[in-house]
Each structure stands twice: as C-alpha cells, then as structure tokens.
Amino acid sequence: MTNLRSFLCLFLSVVFLLDGSKAFQQTASRWSNIGRGILGSPSISKSSATSPDLSVSSFLDVYPGTNPIPDKEQNGSRFSVKDSLGKIVRRSAVALVTLALFSNPAFAAKKVAKETVEHLHTGQKIANFFMQFGLPKWAVLSAISAMPVVELRGAIPVGIWMGMPLYQVFLICVLGNMAPIIPILFILKNEYLKKLMSPILKRAEKKASGLGVGSLEKQWVSLAAFVGIPLPGTGAWTGAMGAFLLGMPTALAISSIFAGVLAAGTIMSAITLAGRTGGLIAISVLLAFAAKELMFKDSDIAKQSFLEANPYWDQSTVPVNTYKNKAPFNGKVVSTKRIVGPKATGETCHIIIDHKGDFPFWEGQSWGVIPPGVREKDGKPHSVRLYSIASSRYGDDMSGRTGSLCVRRATYWDPVLKADDPAKKGICSNFLCDTRTGDDVQMTGPAGKVMLLPEEDPKTDYIMVATGTGIAPYRGFIRRLFVEDTPAAQAYKGQAWLFLGVANSDALLYDDEWQEIKKEYPDQFRLDYALSREQTNKAGGKMYIQDKVEEYADEIFDKLENGAHIYFCGLKGMMPGIQDMLKKVAESKGLDYDDWLKGLKAKKQWHVEVY
Ligand code: FAD
C-alpha cells in the first residue's frame, strides 16, 4: 500500500512538474537540442530542426528593450523568464507538498538504508566521512549538495536516509547546491583562474555544447532543463560553466540554474521517496516524454516556412538596404563565441544578433556594421563594414528573429617590432569580437544579391569555395538546404559541395556542423578541406584552396557544364590562384577560358564575393 502511494505521488509529481511548466514543455519539444548538451552529439536533419517559438516578454529585466511580439505565424506562444521561473517554483512547491502528504519518509528512509547496506551510495559514504567529525546533519547535507558531480541529486537521498523531514532536506540541498554557483560564475571572469580551470571547462563545454544554440530565452530554457533533468554529466556545476562559456548574463544564468536545481530537487525527492522501483518509473516517465517529443515533433514544431516568398524561389522580394547609414538598425548581441582552436592562426568569432524579426534578409546577403566611436584622423563617425550573414534567414534558433556573423579579428603584425601593434588593429572586427551579450550593434543593409541561391530548379548542384570567413554565406545555404524544414530543403535534390581553405585544423570553421550533415546526407553534401600548413599539394607544396579544387577539376567542369552554380567567397587574394588554375584546366580541355567564363557569367552560374 505504501509502495502504491509512493508510486502514485511520484508519478503525479514528475508529470505535474514536467507537463505543467511551459518552459519545460518548450524545452522538451526540442529534446534533440538538449541531447546535444547531454550526449554531446547533435542530430541534424531537415525534420528534426528546432522550431521558431519564443516571443519574449521580458528577461527578468536583464535584457530590456525587447518587445513582446506574439508571433501567430510562429506558434503564438509567449515566453518570459519571470513567468517560467515562477511556474517552476510553484510547481515544485505543489509537487513537494504532494510528496510530503502522500509519501512516508520514515518508510523511505528505512528502505533507502536497507537497499544500500550492501552497496553503499557515494553520497552516504561522504556523509559517513563528514559525520565522524561530529558535524551536524544540516552541515553535512549542505556540504554534499555543494560538491560537483554529487550535487543535490546525491544529497537528497542522503538527507532522507538521515531521517530529516523532506522540507528541510529540500531547502538545505537547494541552498547547498546553489552556494558554489555564484562564486563559480565570478571566478571564471578571472583570466588566471579560468586558465587554471581550463581542463574542467573544456569538458563542460563539450557536455553543454547544445546550450549555445539560439536566442537568450532559448538558452535560459535549455540551461534550466540541462540542470533540472538529473542525468549523468548534467547538473548545476556543468551548467554554470556552460553558461559562462556562452557569455550569458550572470543574473540570467543564476535564475536559470536555480529553476533547474528546484526541478532536479523535486524529481530526486520523488524518486527517493518511491524507492528503487519508483526511480525506474520516474525514469520511464522522463523517457516517455523524450520519446513522445522525438516521435511527434512534426505535429508541434512549426516548419521554417513563415519567411518564404511565394513561390519560395521567387527573388523579386529580396530585401535590400532596409536600413541605411543615416538611420541604422539597433541590433542586440545574443552571444559572441570564439570558434577556432588554440593553434588557429588568428581569432574567429561567431556572433548571434537579435533583430526581433525587424531586419529580414536572405541567405547570401551581408549586414553592414557601424563600429561605435569616431575616426582618429578627422573625428567623423567610423564608416560601415560589411559582413556576410552566417545563418539562414531563420537564424540559428530558427525563430526568424536572429542572424549570425562569422568575424575574423583583424590584427596588425608589425614586421619591425615582430609583434602585434594594438594601435593598428581593425576597428570593426575587434569591436564585434569583443561584444558581450546585450551589447548594441548599429547595423545597415541587408546588402548584395550576388550570392543568392537560385532555387527554382531543385536539382541544381552548388559548388561553394571559401577561404576563412568566406564560409559565412555557405553556412546559411547549407542550413537552409539540409538543417531546416523549408520548402527549399524539401524540394532539394541536387548536391552541395563545400571547399574550405584555412591554415590548419584548429582554424577549421563549423566543422562539427559539416560532419553531422555529411553523416545525414552523404550523397547530397560533399566536403573538402585545404589545410595549407598541414597538407601538401601534388607538387609537394602547401595545399591552397585552388590545389584542392584542382584535384576534382574534371568533375567540377562537368557539373558546371550541366548547370551547377559555383561560388567564391573570402579573401581577395584567393581569386588569382583560382583563376590561374581554372584557366590551365580549361586549356587542357581545349576550351577558351575567357569564353568559358563569359558563358558561366551569362547564365548566372558564377558568383564571387571577395574582400
Ligand atoms: P579596419 O579598421 O578597417 O582596418 C583594416 C585593416 O588595416 C586591418 O587589418 C587593420 O589591422 C589594418 N590597419 C589599421 N591601421 C593600420 C595602419 N596604420 N597601418 C597598416 N595597417 C593598418 N570580414 C569577416 O571577418 N567576416 C565576413 O563574413 C566578412 N564579410 C564581408 C563581406 C563583404 C561583402 C565585404 C566587402 C567584406 C567582408 N568582410 C568580412 C571584411 C570586413 O568588412 C572588414 O573589412 C574587416 O572586418 C576589417 O575591418 P576592421 O574595421 O576590423 O579593420
């Protein structure tokens, strides 16, 4: 009977908590995203793409200036951190009262003790260790819940085993688990301590990688779920490090982790009070939620179709210069993240900017950025710099409210001093790479129609050649063709072939994304790298982008003959080498290079954007 009561209350609490909270519903609907964080492997497919969903009403006043725009085309739901946190607090309280009323802690304590006689739980071993020094129970419990890995999930069963009342156990464990979180977030701001913690941070980054996707509110929800669903590798410690690495504002990170800790505490209390069998039921409920979301995702995930022309390939409405230099758009930085390894030549950052849906663009276009301040030489405002947009029109969170840039920090190497001269560093790229969440960015555009995808014939092959940040527009193309659920993706039957040239493997950009897509679409997506400092070309020299393209020259010429489009993007310096190579190949095939090129240009198959 006691068991039955425990199972019942366990079931009610878990379902109540997960189903009742909007935040968790939203999180669960993108389980694949959380899975990235938990399992470290994103699942990318046209149909498992995350959906547009979140219109912001407030960010606990941390992120003001974002208008609440209930987007009917998206899914009509409104999200606010304040509401979600409030709901999680209320649901946890109700679930705990339910537990306290219907369960039998004394029975559970006996059961926990009995179940662990032979195989002593780690938390209990730690508790025994502390108790031999005569520490009071509450101190032992708070120390255990403050520990990494063990955390509140390990401490709650110990508290119940000690025979303490549930409300005391819960309160002490929540406070204990939260206690190190605030110092961690501040400690990581110190460069020296950050370096010291770098091995742990690297692990945390891997575990929490999925948290980086999307706008601030999405990050809040993912982080709360990451902390709140007690699975191996998740928790408040890893969550705090993940939040730091994402550059989340501290107050936002703390509120999200707090919501997660409350949820984890409720789930753990329920599991502990219901015993081992109850634990299995709780896990089954969690898995059922996940399975439901994975299996029925199409029914509640909106497709990426709300920013399409009619028909989707009609380019007559492509927006151009919506915002001009005199009246620029004020974007807000969602996150800025270094995306190259330590041995990369230079620094490249991925910057997500919130435009609230007011700054639509198409894949292949650029945004202008006006850096703050004035020019030293004449005191006039800085001029605008262009940056190719690195996301699709739907943004990385697929809400249609953000866009991303891929920016290389321009530095000046003084050959005499043999060092960087900070006085001559690039103004705008340094401004962008130094931005933090919530910073303002003055923007113009969107600019350019040279790099658009001609989508009318879905069998068109695309050959995309990039050096460095020239990858940016192709990321938008590839997400549109393979990651999102767009009409373009559904129709696409051609092959997209990406060539990327960088100095070494640490300088590769978005490699994890390409590998996932390659795995999912091996026939439709091809990928080739030219790593100039790691590979050699057939003549034994450095492998530059033209050498890699030349390896497949016959295939590329055939594809172009059959209507493929070829794109070049990146540093200006890439084009002479490419053109020389193409000329050589054309001549070896008995073609007149100039005529051949003229033909491609006339048929709009040739696209170049270099800077
Ligand atoms: P600036 O301040 O303009 O300086 C330019 C260079 O001069 C820097 O390398 C700087 O170090 C050097 N310099 C400064 N002072 C001196 C001095 N006294 N003596 C010698 N050298 C000096 N860039 C990207 O990173 N990603 C993109 O996706 C991207 N897309 C682009 C798309 C288009 C269509 C175009 C036209 C350009 C694109 N760019 C992109 C380049 C970008 O617009 C900027 O040119 C680049 O970021 C450098 O701007 P900056 O303000 O940082 O440097």
Side-chain angles (χ1 to χ4, degrees):
M1 190 59 201
T2 317
N3 260 347
L4 193 66
R5 260 187 351 195
S6 301
F7 296 161
L8 190 68
C9 80
L10 164 86
F11 187 78
L12 281 175
S13 332
V14 175
V15 172
F16 199 48
L17 179 75
L18 285 176
D19 198 41
S21 156
K22 188 79 193 158
F24 274 77
Q25 271 182 6
Q26 284 172 333
T27 305
S29 78
R30 100 197 10 84
W31 190 264
S32 56
N33 235 356
I34 303 165
R36 290 177 65 164
I38 295 167
L39 306 170
S41 98
S43 140
I44 295 178
S45 73
K46 288 171 188 179
S47 54
S48 71
T50 47
S51 69
D53 61 337
L54 303 165
S55 36
V56 186
S57 59
S58 87
F59 287 132
L60 273 181
D61 307 321
V62 170
Y63 193 50
T66 308
N67 294 331
I69 307 170
D71 264 329
K72 283 211 181 88
E73 302 95 314
Q74 296 182 26
N75 68 7
S77 68
R78 294 179 64 178
F79 173 87
S80 108
V81 168
K82 214 180 248 174
D83 289 352
S84 296
L85 183 59
K87 265 181 204 155
I88 291 172
V89 171
R90 284 196 300 276
R91 300 281 164 179
S92 301
V94 176
L96 280 171
V97 171
T98 316
L99 280 173
L101 287 177
F102 291 100
S103 68
N104 185 341
F107 174 77
K110 256 193 243 156
K111 212 161 172 312
V112 172
K114 199 171 140 214
E115 277 174 3
T116 53
V117 167
E118 289 156 28
H119 180 70
L120 207 57
H121 186 282
T122 317
Q124 284 168 299
K125 281 185 199 159
I126 301 169
N128 281 337
F129 172 78
F130 281 128
M131 284 200 297
Q132 69 184 351
F133 300 107
L135 284 175
K137 282 180 184 173
W138 67 264
V140 172
L141 206 54
S142 20
I144 295 174
S145 49
M147 286 176 153
V149 185
V150 185
E151 301 200 13
L152 145 152
R153 57 193 69 188
I156 283 186
V158 174
I160 290 172
W161 165 70
M162 286 170 164
M164 291 168 78
L166 180 63
Y167 76 91
Q168 261 184 31
V169 172
F170 189 84
L171 204 71
I172 293 170
C173 291
V174 167
L175 293 178
N177 204 172
M178 284 306 291
I181 300 310
I182 300 169
I184 288 175
L185 289 170
F186 283 97
I187 280 171
L188 289 174
K189 288 185 179 172
N190 179 299
E191 281 305 314
Y192 176 72
L193 292 168
K194 202 169 103 187
K195 229 181 227 166
L196 219 64
M197 289 178 72
S198 77
I200 312 172
L201 275 178
K202 268 206 191 104
R203 233 185 119 243
E205 186 171 24
K206 221 168 160 193
K207 289 273 176 204
S209 61
L211 303 175
V213 181
S215 55
L216 268 185
E217 63 270 39
K218 213 171 240 185
Q219 290 177 14
W220 189 94
V221 172
S222 310
L223 180 60
F226 180 82
V227 175
I229 301 177
L231 289 174
T234 67
W237 278 72
T238 327
M241 291 180 204
F244 167 79
L245 292 167
L246 286 179
M248 265 176 103
T250 311
L252 206 65
I254 291 171
S255 64
S256 169
I257 293 170
F258 181 62
V261 167
L262 284 182
T266 312
I267 293 171
M268 280 314 297
S269 304
I271 291 174
T272 313
L273 289 173
R276 193 179 287 171
T277 326
L280 285 177
I281 295 176
I283 287 162
S284 312
V285 172
L286 287 171
L287 289 178
F289 266 90
K292 175 183 162 259
E293 293 305 333
L294 282 175
M295 280 190 282
F296 302 108
K297 55 191 172 278
D298 281 348
S299 60
D300 54 0
I301 289 182
K303 292 184 190 325
Q304 283 73 52
S305 58
F306 54 94
L307 293 175
E308 300 298 320
N310 190 13
Y312 70 88
W313 42 261
D314 177 9
Q315 298 186 346
S316 61
T317 55
V318 175
V320 181
N321 286 333
T322 318
Y323 296 92
K324 305 189 175 60
N325 296 12
K326 287 204 172 126
F329 180 82
N330 187 39
K332 278 218 182 276
V333 172
V334 173
S335 64
T336 300
K337 201 173 170 190
R338 179 187 162 107
I339 51 167
V340 287
K343 292 197 194 110
T345 45
E347 178 170 39
T348 304
C349 297
H350 184 73
I351 301 156
I352 303 177
I353 299 177
D354 188 341
H355 63 80
K356 302 185 228 164
D358 294 337
F359 202 163
F361 57 88
W362 280 37
E363 298 75 17
Q365 289 195 295
S366 301
W367 268 335
V369 173
I370 306 172
V374 290
R375 295 194 296 218
E376 210 172 280
K377 61 174 183 190
D378 55 12
K380 290 194 175 148
H382 287 299
S383 55
V384 69
R385 270 75 162 176
L386 287 175
Y387 293 92
S388 309
I389 303 172
S391 64
S392 79
R393 68 190 73 180
Y394 294 98
D396 289 356
D397 62 351
M398 301 186 196
S399 67
R401 301 163 65 90
T402 65
S404 307
L405 300 179
C406 174
V407 180
R408 184 188 162 95
R409 193 189 280 279
T411 52
Y412 179 77
W413 175 259
D414 190 318
V416 183
L417 293 173
K418 292 202 174 3
D420 277 340
D421 181 350
K424 294 176 184 167
K425 63 184 189 184
I427 303 284
C428 195
S429 57
N430 280 273
F431 157 68
L432 284 169
C433 289
D434 288 336
T435 50
R436 295 190 63 88
T437 305
D439 283 354
D440 290 325
V441 181
Q442 300 298 309
M443 298 158 70
T444 64
K449 285 186 169 184
V450 175
M451 298 290 280
L452 298 178
L453 283 176
E455 295 180 324
E456 188 167 357
D457 178 2
K459 292 194 289 300
T460 305
D461 287 342
Y462 300 119
I463 302 158
M464 301 165 280
V465 184
T467 54
T469 55
I471 195 92
Y474 308 145
R475 184 169 180 269
F477 293 178
I478 293 165
R479 287 179 70 82
R480 177 162 176 82
L481 296 175
F482 299 112
V483 180
E484 295 171 350
D485 196 0
T486 58
Q490 276 168 8
Y492 192 56
K493 300 283 177 293
Q495 189 183 68
W497 191 351
L498 176 65
F499 288 91
L500 171 63
V502 289
N504 56 30
S505 29
D506 260 21
L508 283 173
L509 298 166
Y510 309 110
D511 177 56
D512 51 344
E513 297 186 17
W514 311 140
Q515 298 304 339
E516 281 302 318
I517 295 165
K518 213 172 108 178
K519 212 160 45 187
E520 199 87 18
Y521 299 97
D523 299 330
Q524 281 192 283
F525 180 65
R526 285 176 77 171
L527 176 66
D528 279 282
Y529 290 142
L531 305 173
S532 59
R533 297 193 189 175
E534 286 178 12
Q535 302 169 333
T536 46
N537 60 22
K538 63 176 191 256
K542 287 183 175 177
M543 174 71 84
Y544 289 113
I545 190 75
Q546 62 270 22
D547 303 319
K548 187 48 78 180
V549 175
E550 190 178 6
E551 284 179 14
Y552 302 95
D554 287 344
E555 242 182 299
I556 288 170
F557 270 63
D558 284 351
K559 277 180 179 283
L560 290 170
E561 182 66 30
N562 292 323
H565 282 237
I566 192 160
Y567 295 78
F568 300 94
C569 190
L571 293 178
K572 250 191 211 116
M574 72 189 274
M575 284 318 283
I578 296 254
Q579 298 220 329
D580 289 351
M581 179 274 294
L582 290 175
K583 189 165 188 221
K584 199 176 75 186
V585 177
E587 281 165 1
S588 74
K589 290 177 180 289
L591 297 166
D592 180 282
Y593 177 66
D594 293 334
D595 286 349
W596 176 79
L597 187 58
K598 221 184 268 170
L600 288 179
K601 285 181 181 170
K603 285 188 250 157
K604 298 192 162 58
Q605 288 170 257
W606 179 266
H607 309 258
V608 181
E609 189 157 87
V610 288
Y611 38 85

